[in-house]
Amino acid sequence: MTFGERSREAGRMLFYAGKNWITILGFLLTTGTGVSMVIFWGQELVSSRPIHPYAGILLFVMLPGLFVVGLLLMPLGIVLRRRKLKHTGTLPTIYPQVDFTQPAVRHLLLGVGLATAANIIIVGTASFKGVEYMDSTRFCGLTCHTVMQPEYTAFLDSPHSRVGCAQCHIGPGASWFVKSKLSGTRQLFAVLFKTYHRPIEDPVKNLRPARETCEQCHWPNKFTNDKLYIHTKYADDEANTPSTSVLLVKIGGNTALGQVGIHGFHMAAGTTISYVSTDAHRQVIPEVTYRDKTGKVEVFKADGFNAIPAATLAKGETRVMDCIDCHNRPTHEFLLPDRAVDNAMGAGAISPTLPYIKKKAIEVLKVNYPDRNTARQQIPAAITAFYQSSYPAVYQQHQDLVNQAAQSVLAIYLRNIFPAMKVTWGVHPNNLGHDDFPGCFRCHDGSHTAADGTTIPADCDTCHVLLAQDEKDPKILKELDLTQ
Ligand code: HEC
Ligand code: HEC
Ligand code: HEC
Ligand code: HEC
Ligand code: HEC
């Protein structure tokens, strides 16, 4: 048989065996989903509203899925029908003639050709749009609503709220994209079968080395200048007595130039700091290894190192320090109640003129509410009831301030606490600083000593100049003309 005869024979076979319900169903499915996708894409182009995450799943994941199923059903129907005919011995040795001179047949062929071309375009567009959608912040943050609610809420309230989840969690390049989709598939099953951890565990295992993601935007050669840090705390007395700390944080200079300040010492080219941690949150660090530019290596061991059982050390994690060993909460920061209330009081959202408001707010925030809705009812009610019964005159005169404070305390709760995911006060420690969590003092505690007796520096002026510590009306703020 010549090639022409063979392809004519195959064409006739396809025509003959193609008349079966599986192939026709595949054809209908492909056409139906294909047309709906094109209509949706058109609508998406003209609509200004973002797509709801569940509609997104339908549109970008399920419809293309059905489309591909349809495409696969078409040849499958033909194969199955041929096999069946062969089995029953009714497969014709010569297929009925297909008369290409008939207009109906030619139209059909033209239709199939055009549909195939359209299908290729649709599959291409659908995969592109699907990938784009699955990298979008709304997909990551909203699809598994309860599971991601804590991280998404914190993200929306952070300096990075306009940075996509994928820019930190995946970063550029194809290999991390594939890795993330594989782990994403695992996570999808974890969500379906509710086997995920509550709270979602930190640190994130296998997070991409931070320098490959953060440094896409933050250029280490530009980490210059010191930073003025001002923080006011309020006491839990009747007057909510304020005290302010003012520091000049030595963030440090150009890491390419070498060791200046905080960034310079940890991130300078040619130096590495690695450490062993023995707990799940990398909070306990018994051993630190420091290799400087000249290649000199120093191993610092914490007091009590020799008392640590060998088995505990062997199970420990060894890690090279990067950005997220300090900035582990650049966008998912969960505050402790003290700091959250201080911040709200400093900003005026909770008025410091209300007697005992600091103490009362903390007390109300620390109650273990079964869910967020209960908190929505009980927190504002508890604050108002306190002033109604203990300070009726204040309540009469400043009802607006009391109501505002009540709502602000509730807002602090809703921003930080997610009982359904077991995210409560302090479950996600922040490593930047040392006031609320061990942070820098995990290593800079004066107890980490090398063989030659030197320690990782822990003097109070190593990392910042203390311009004022817990002072009422610090003089320095007047000198800098920074008082309100
Ligand atoms: C600025 C970078 C950045 C952005 C943007 C970002 N993340 Fe994260 N994310 C991190 C870092 C860093 C960690 C903590 C890593 C660690 O401790 O190991 C983290 C941790 C997490 C965790 C683990 C639980 C936890 O709280 O530690 C989840 C879940 C998560 N992110 C989801 C998201 C989602 C969803 C988005 C988008 C809505 C997002 N992230 C956007 C940097 C980012
Ligand atoms: C896509 C760009 C982008 C990426 C990726 C990114 N950031 Fe940022 N980051 C920004 C921008 C923009 C700001 C400034 C926001 C502002 O000033 O309000 C910022 C601010 C910051 C700040 C200052 C926050 C503050 O409170 O003033 C820190 C610290 C920071 N980023 C750390 C990180 C770390 C750590 C990573 C990697 C895990 C990272 N960023 C990844 C864009 C990015
Ligand atoms: C040893 C701890 C440590 C490491 C490692 C570290 N930082 Fe920082 N970084 C700090 C501290 C402390 C500050 C100042 C505190 C603050 O902003 O509240 C800071 C400030 C910043 C700022 C804000 C600068 C400004 O002017 O406000 C950015 C951006 C930043 N770091 C990015 C990074 C990136 C990117 C990396 C990784 C290449 C990194 N840092 C590594 C401790 C660290
Ligand atoms: C994993 C351990 C570790 C952590 C966590 C850590 N550091 Fe360091 N740091 C080191 C080591 C090691 C050195 C180098 C010590 C030396 O100079 O011998 C160093 C050096 C420094 C220096 C330079 C000290 C000097 O000699 O002038 C500064 C400043 C500094 N760190 C700030 C910080 C700050 C701020 C944090 C928290 C945000 C922090 N470090 C967290 C291990 C750590
Ligand atoms: C290894 C570095 C390091 C050392 C050593 C260190 N600090 Fe700090 N300290 C920090 C950082 C980082 C912050 C947080 C700054 C920020 O978030 O921008 C901080 C914050 C503070 C604050 C403000 C707390 C607040 O939020 O109100 C005070 C007060 C303070 N330090 C006092 C001290 C004193 C006193 C010592 C000596 C016992 C000391 N520090 C040693 C790094 C250090």
Side-chain angles (χ1 to χ4, degrees):
M1 250 197 279
T2 63
F3 178 71
E5 279 168 344
R6 215 180 290 164
S7 44
R8 212 167 305 139
E9 178 70 12
R12 284 180 203 162
M13 187 279 287
L14 286 182
F15 253 81
Y16 185 78
K19 284 182 225 144
N20 69 75
W21 65 268
I22 299 183
T23 303
I24 293 172
L25 180 73
F27 176 76
L28 292 178
L29 206 57
T30 308
T31 323
T33 48
V35 169
S36 346
M37 281 195 290
V38 171
I39 292 176
F40 272 128
W41 293 338
Q43 214 176 17
E44 197 198 344
L45 274 182
V46 291
S47 157
S48 58
R49 270 192 316 163
I51 290 179
H52 187 279
Y54 291 127
I57 295 201
L58 177 76
L59 200 65
F60 298 119
V61 184
M62 284 165 71
L63 276 184
L66 285 178
F67 183 82
V68 172
V69 168
L71 282 184
L72 294 176
L73 281 182
M74 287 193 262
L76 181 76
I78 294 178
V79 170
L80 286 181
R81 179 156 159 90
R82 260 200 73 179
R83 191 179 290 171
K84 191 170 167 205
L85 290 176
K86 218 175 193 171
H87 202 70
T88 52
T90 45
L91 190 70
T93 37
I94 299 174
Y95 292 100
Q97 283 277 351
V98 179
D99 187 355
F100 289 100
T101 56
Q102 277 193 10
V105 173
R106 269 185 290 145
H107 289 162
L108 187 66
L109 273 183
L110 185 71
V112 169
L114 285 179
T116 310
N119 285 349
I120 292 172
I121 297 174
I122 291 179
V123 166
T125 316
S127 15
F128 174 75
K129 289 190 84 75
V131 164
E132 188 188 59
Y133 171 68
M134 278 193 265
D135 264 5
S136 75
T137 298
R138 290 177 66 80
F139 175 76
C140 302
L142 288 178
T143 309
C144 323
H145 189 71
T146 313
V147 184
M148 282 299 126
Q149 195 186 15
E151 278 73 26
Y152 189 60
T153 307
F155 161 87
L156 288 180
D157 185 36
S158 84
H160 289 108
S161 60
R162 296 278 166 99
V163 172
C165 319
Q167 279 172 294
C168 289
H169 284 281
I170 305 175
S175 76
W176 281 91
F177 178 78
V178 173
K179 272 186 217 175
S180 79
K181 289 305 154 224
L182 290 178
S183 83
T185 314
R186 262 199 319 275
Q187 286 158 15
L188 199 64
F189 281 102
V191 170
L192 282 178
F193 299 111
K194 296 208 185 311
T195 54
Y196 50 84
H197 222 275
R198 269 172 279 183
I200 305 280
E201 286 171 301
D202 79 83
V204 177
K205 303 263 169 351
N206 311 322
L207 191 75
R208 184 167 186 177
R211 307 196 64 163
E212 294 172 21
T213 51
C214 314
E215 288 185 8
Q216 295 291 319
C217 298
H218 299 289
W219 192 32
N221 289 3
K222 286 289 166 205
F223 292 151
T224 49
N225 299 331
D226 294 346
K227 184 170 177 175
L228 193 65
Y229 175 93
I230 306 171
H231 185 227
T232 301
K233 294 179 180 170
Y234 296 86
D236 60 3
D237 54 4
E238 188 177 30
N240 311 299
T241 307
S243 63
T244 302
S245 295
V246 183
L247 329 165
L248 197 60
V249 186
K250 303 176 185 173
I251 298 183
N254 190 330
T255 51
L257 287 181
Q259 298 180 316
V260 185
I262 301 167
H263 285 142
F265 260 89
H266 297 86
M267 298 282 106
T271 62
T272 38
I273 297 178
S274 59
Y275 65 86
V276 178
S277 61
T278 50
D279 68 319
H281 291 285
R282 300 183 184 143
Q283 295 297 295
V284 181
I285 299 185
E287 187 182 85
V288 181
T289 306
Y290 175 51
R291 177 192 295 271
D292 74 9
K293 248 197 190 126
T294 63
K296 193 182 114 193
V297 175
E298 258 184 317
V299 180
F300 299 93
K301 292 184 178 173
D303 279 357
F305 180 86
N306 294 327
I308 301 172
T312 310
L313 274 180
K315 267 196 253 144
E317 177 196 15
T318 305
R319 189 181 144 80
V320 175
M321 221 177 156
D322 68 22
C323 318
I324 64 136
D325 290 291
C326 299
H327 299 283
N328 66 331
R329 304 268 129 213
T331 201
H332 315 294
E333 187 179 17
F334 300 99
L335 296 176
L336 292 185
D338 242 296
R339 187 169 291 267
V341 173
D342 285 341
N343 291 351
M345 290 176 74
I350 298 176
S351 172
T353 59
L354 295 172
Y356 278 122
I357 184 64
K358 170 76 187 278
K359 186 163 184 261
K360 191 67 201 171
I362 301 288
E363 186 187 303
V364 168
L365 282 170
K366 283 190 173 163
V367 173
N368 200 356
Y369 303 98
D371 53 52
R372 286 160 67 87
N373 272 340
T374 312
R376 278 193 184 95
Q377 287 155 13
Q378 294 187 359
I379 287 179
I383 301 277
T384 348
F386 171 72
Y387 288 102
Q388 279 168 337
S389 64
S390 305
Y391 291 93
V394 173
Y395 184 72
Q396 282 298 321
Q397 216 183 340
H398 297 296
Q399 212 165 333
D400 52 336
L401 288 183
V402 173
N403 289 340
Q404 190 195 13
Q407 287 307 319
S408 302
V409 175
L410 173 61
I412 292 174
Y413 178 91
L414 295 176
R415 163 67 178 74
N416 291 286
I417 302 298
F418 302 84
M421 284 305 291
K422 297 206 168 84
V423 171
T424 52
W425 304 113
V427 298
H428 289 302
N430 187 343
N431 293 336
L432 203 72
H434 51 76
D435 218 35
D436 297 346
F437 299 100
C440 314
F441 286 6
R442 290 173 299 159
C443 301
H444 293 266
D445 60 351
S447 102
H448 287 70
T449 315
D452 64 1
T454 55
T455 55
I456 299 179
D459 297 337
C460 301
D461 60 357
T462 310
C463 310
H464 43 59
V465 184
L466 267 173
L467 299 170
Q469 188 176 356
D470 295 329
E471 287 177 24
K472 195 173 169 10
D473 299 325
K475 206 163 98 249
I476 181 78
L477 289 185
K478 289 194 194 91
E479 282 165 13
L480 295 171
D481 203 12
L482 284 174
T483 46
Q484 283 93 355

